[in-house]
Amino acid sequence: MTLCLGIETSCDETALALVRDGRLLAQRIATQIDAHAVFGGVVPELASREHLRALGPLLDGLTADAGVRLGELDAVCVARGPGLLGSLLVGLSLAKGIVLATGAALVGVNHLQAHLLAPALERPIAFPALGLLVSGGHTQTYRMDSPTAFATLGRTLDDAAGEAFDKAAKTLNLPYPGGRFIDLLGRMGEADPALFPRPYVANDSLDFSFSGLKTAMVNHVAAHPDLRAPALTDDLDALVADLRARGALEPLARTCASYTLAVADTLRIKTARALDANPGMRSLVVAGGVAANSVVRRTMAELAAARGLDIVLPPLALCTDNAAMIALAGEFLFHAGYRHGLDLDAVPRGRRIPWDYRQVRPHPA
Ligand code: KG4
Ligand code: ZN
């Protein structure tokens, strides 16, 4: 039996979870959305302080929920990047403190790889797998040979897919983060496949570039200013009723559907190309906030079916940041014998995460 604590503080969710033998035992999450809302985005300094304030009470609550003592932990698994540097350091400090006090193993976890392993909390993933991570900050494809062997295939050269949704939403005067609103409005309309480009596909690269698509939306709205929502509201029902009454719903819904289709098509083209370059995959794993998008889910399920692959899409609750995925990814590493020392460092967004584990004798199964 293995008991792992997961610690996630890379952005604006403070999360702790306990995983025992691959199964979620308990988790606690404190979201900071309200603390940052007045500033219109995540304020890094504030995020660090909020993590520090939240972690102690969350840890007490978690251990009480699960009836577990810290002394029982085999490993403390902590998100070590990519993320906000100060926020990551708060999580790392807690992890090192617990390790010092209990003698548990320390395992630093790549937050992006943990997103792709999250669905394994519910059912096993057949490896080798092709992983597509689509979030607000990252768009990346990986070849996953095992839960502990990832090779990066493609990454975004500029904006992430989620950013492309959020910036388009801002242009349309929809609230932040706007991916969900574009998705919902798009479902009320018919997509025009010719309205937006499929950016950066006329090459043989596996990388992504979404900034041109965002610009296409800015230009489209500049030419059709009536598309902008009349008032910034997150009450979608009221917005839809108002738009419908003014005959303005159809053009906005068509714009959103067309934009969503352009993002989903681009992801499909690049993922298909990555599959061509990596024969022998058994499954296609899609994770991150944009994996919540209805068209992206359908498109990727169709691609997997056409290639005879198992499609792995996490339930929506596992798409967003959580500590269960960190504990699980850490447990895989722990079992394979990978450990970190107390010199484990945080890696901010934009820097490559080093493979700097110490290998010990793998834990007996
Ligand atoms: O992975 P995530 O929760 O956070 C990080 O970026 O780490 O992803 C958030 C992103 C945002 O850009 C949000 O707009 C997008 O996921 N998103 C969606 C949908 N739900 C969330 N994008 C498109 N359609 C959705 N249904
Ligand atoms: Zn994340």
Side-chain angles (χ1 to χ4, degrees):
M1 285 230 297
T2 308
L3 182 64
C4 294
L5 172 68
I7 304 177
E8 162 59 42
T9 61
S10 60
C11 190
D12 58 349
E13 311 279 354
T14 317
L16 295 175
L18 286 165
V19 163
R20 176 176 278 150
D21 298 329
R23 291 285 157 259
L24 179 62
L25 204 59
Q27 67 173 328
R28 288 257 178 156
I29 301 187
T31 182
Q32 304 181 3
I33 286 178
D34 291 346
H36 299 285
V38 283
F39 302 102
V42 178
V43 182
E45 172 75 18
L46 186 58
S48 310
R49 287 195 232 160
E50 289 291 314
H51 287 307
L52 188 62
R53 215 161 53 84
L55 276 173
L58 285 181
L59 185 62
D60 287 342
L62 181 80
T63 47
D65 286 350
V68 158
R69 285 178 301 103
L70 291 180
E72 297 172 49
L73 291 173
D74 294 289
V76 179
C77 314
V78 57
R80 57 94 55 110
L84 300 171
L85 190 58
S87 291
L88 291 165
L89 291 175
V90 177
L92 279 172
S93 301
L94 175 67
K96 291 180 183 181
I98 297 174
V99 163
L100 276 172
T102 64
L106 177 64
V107 182
V109 172
N110 179 325
H111 174 96
L112 302 179
Q113 298 180 0
H115 266 299
L116 285 163
L117 292 170
L121 281 163
E122 305 224 310
R123 66 178 180 101
I125 297 173
F127 293 96
L130 200 293
L132 169 67
L133 178 78
V134 270
S135 71
H138 296 87
T139 304
Q140 213 143 316
T141 46
Y142 292 94
R143 179 192 167 97
M144 304 160 62
D145 281 302
S146 80
T148 59
F150 283 62
T152 304
L153 299 175
R155 54 161 59 91
T156 182
L157 303 174
D158 41 55
D159 291 355
E163 234 168 317
F165 275 115
D166 295 339
K167 289 179 178 167
K170 192 170 179 199
T171 307
L172 291 166
N173 203 27
L174 298 170
Y176 176 88
R180 197 172 64 85
F181 292 90
I182 297 208
D183 188 6
L184 291 170
L185 284 165
R187 284 190 231 175
M188 298 173 197
E190 197 72 37
D192 173 357
L195 197 54
F196 293 107
R198 311 296 180 257
Y200 202 65
V201 295
N203 51 39
D204 51 15
S205 171
L206 296 181
D207 290 333
F208 302 85
S209 164
F210 285 105
S211 65
L213 185 57
K214 171 189 71 187
T215 307
M217 176 63 97
V218 170
N219 292 341
H220 183 64
V221 175
H224 305 90
D226 291 350
L227 284 171
R228 279 175 60 81
L232 189 62
T233 171
D234 52 14
D235 184 345
L236 190 70
D237 291 341
L239 175 66
V240 166
D242 175 59
L243 291 168
R244 187 172 276 134
R246 293 188 294 108
L249 180 61
E250 198 277 331
L252 178 59
R254 189 160 50 87
T255 300
C256 290
S258 307
Y259 193 83
T260 304
L261 181 65
V263 175
D265 264 351
T266 306
L267 295 174
R268 175 180 54 75
I269 292 165
K270 294 286 179 167
T271 307
R273 193 174 290 170
L275 286 168
D276 289 342
N278 290 274
M281 295 294 113
R282 293 177 64 203
S283 33
L284 172 60
V285 186
V286 188
V290 179
N293 183 274
S294 57
V295 183
V296 170
R297 290 177 91 82
R298 192 171 63 235
T299 305
M300 290 302 152
E302 285 167 4
L303 173 63
R307 302 285 183 122
L309 305 178
D310 192 14
I311 181 73
V312 183
L313 284 161
L316 299 191
L318 285 178
C319 282
T320 48
D321 286 348
N322 64 83
M325 67 185 194
I326 303 295
L328 181 73
E331 189 181 69
F332 283 126
L333 290 160
F334 175 77
H335 273 292
Y338 295 114
R339 308 280 188 276
H340 275 120
L342 289 174
D343 56 351
L344 171 64
D345 208 355
V347 181
R349 189 179 155 193
R351 270 205 7 231
R352 207 180 62 81
I353 298 199
W355 184 261
D356 53 2
Y357 295 94
R358 212 161 27 84
Q359 168 99 59
V360 299
R361 190 171 42 82
H363 191 266

